[in-house]
């Protein structure tokens, strides 16, 4: 079973969905600590940030303890409308996207992003199971391994950024546990939200599923 792990980002970029598409089970790391400028509370749309306003201080707490201010749905709708109203697919896709947002009845950041991720997964036609594990006790690579063992992984699909902390020692631990390790080869077309792809591209899954050319 190939497993990917990722924080629950806000309407994330195509590379997030590429990892989901190419895994059998996708773990949302809702217990990770929120970082003030990370993309759990903000997303790039049309090259500029859209940020959810928080009740709690945006640091030193887990994502699943972070509370978003009331009215976030209207804020997100207004931001999306302002950026995409003239887009190629606004008329035929905006209602679905805005309905996803207003269907979420929560002010918990992890819950908001989790529900939006599930709705967008279904909209894109991706069938990968999305799960949340129990809070891990370990750190860094050991934390990843702990979660992989929780869900019965035999292979781990990682983002390329993980190369920084999955060094030789960490990779040896993967081998000891019989868990294969591979890195995403997604072709980055845009770092913008999946919403940009939906509004601009006839077949969004062409962008999501595009792999980089082999070296």
């Amino acid at each position: 079973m190939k497993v990917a792990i990722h924080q629950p980002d806000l309407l994330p970029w195509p590379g997030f969905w590429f990892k989901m598409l190419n895994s059998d089970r996708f773990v949302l790391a809702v217990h990770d600590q929120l970082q003030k400028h990370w993309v759990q509370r903000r997303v790039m749309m049309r090259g500029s940030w859209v940020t959810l306003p928080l009740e709690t201080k945006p640091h030193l707490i887990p994502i699943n303890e972070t509370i978003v201010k009331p009215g976030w749905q209207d804020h997100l709708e207004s931001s999306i409308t302002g950026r995409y109203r003239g887009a190629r697919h606004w008329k035929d896709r905006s209602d679905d996207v805005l309905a996803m947002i207003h269907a979420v009845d929560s002010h918990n950041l992890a819950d908001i992003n989790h529900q939006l991720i599930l709705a967008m997964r279904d909209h894109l036609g991706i069938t990968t199971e999305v799960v949340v594990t129990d809070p891990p006790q370990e750190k860094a690579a050991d934390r990843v391994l702990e979660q992989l063992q929780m869900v019965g992984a035999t292979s781990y699909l990682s983002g390329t950024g993980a190369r920084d902390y999955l060094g030789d020692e960490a990779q040896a631990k993967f081998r000891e546990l019989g868990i294969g390790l591979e890195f995403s080869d997604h072709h980055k077309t845009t770092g913008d939200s999946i919403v940009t792809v939906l509004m601009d591209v006839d077949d969004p899954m062409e962008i999501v599923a595009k792999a980089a050319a082999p070296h």
Side-chain angles (χ1 to χ4, degrees):
M1 177 184 290
K2 185 184 295 186
V3 175
I5 301 174
H6 207 290
Q7 288 87 11
D9 292 347
L10 174 63
L11 293 170
W13 74 299
F16 177 100
W17 304 101
F18 179 90
K19 283 178 62 179
M20 183 183 291
L21 177 67
N22 288 283
S23 58
D24 302 305
R25 185 169 287 168
F26 192 90
V27 177
L28 290 179
V30 302
H31 307 289
D32 284 4
Q33 182 174 303
L34 179 71
Q35 301 293 323
K36 184 175 182 179
H37 299 298
W38 279 14
V39 289
Q40 289 79 53
R41 64 171 299 215
R42 67 177 189 163
V43 62
M44 188 71 72
M45 292 181 172
R46 289 282 188 253
S48 62
W49 292 109
V50 175
T51 304
L52 295 184
L54 302 183
E55 294 277 12
T56 45
K57 292 183 178 180
H59 56 84
L60 304 180
I61 57 173
I63 302 165
N64 65 339
E65 294 179 15
T66 303
I67 305 302
V68 179
K69 289 183 177 179
W72 67 266
Q73 294 98 331
D74 292 335
H75 170 69
L76 198 48
E77 176 179 354
S78 176
S79 299
I80 289 172
T81 301
R83 285 165 171 77
Y84 300 107
R85 188 190 295 275
R88 178 181 183 125
H89 289 287
W90 174 258
K91 289 184 178 179
D92 54 299
R93 293 177 181 166
S94 61
D95 285 348
D96 289 339
V97 173
L98 298 180
M100 293 178 201
I101 293 166
H102 287 284
V104 179
D105 183 18
S106 179
H107 295 288
N108 179 286
L109 182 61
D111 288 343
I112 290 167
N113 291 348
H114 189 174
Q115 291 183 50
L116 289 175
I117 286 166
L118 293 179
M120 186 62 72
R121 174 199 64 177
D122 294 345
H123 185 78
L124 293 170
I126 298 173
T127 59
T128 303
E129 180 186 12
V130 175
V131 300
V132 173
T133 60
D134 293 332
Q137 304 299 312
E138 304 294 341
K139 296 181 180 180
D142 288 338
R143 185 184 185 96
V144 170
L145 284 165
E146 184 181 9
Q147 291 183 86
L148 291 172
Q149 290 176 286
M150 287 180 187
V151 297
T154 57
S155 178
Y156 175 48
L157 177 60
S158 174
T160 54
R163 293 180 189 272
D164 293 338
Y165 64 85
L166 292 178
D168 292 342
E169 183 178 348
Q171 292 185 42
K173 291 182 180 180
F174 275 82
R175 289 192 294 271
E176 288 172 11
L177 293 172
I179 299 175
L181 176 62
E182 59 184 278
F183 294 95
S184 172
D185 63 347
H186 174 65
H187 175 81
K188 184 177 180 180
T189 304
T190 177
D192 259 26
S193 169
I194 188 64
V195 176
T196 298
V197 179
L198 284 174
M199 295 302 163
D200 291 346
V201 179
D202 292 345
D203 182 2
M205 287 304 292
E206 286 188 3
I207 303 300
V208 168
K210 189 173 183 179
H215 297 293

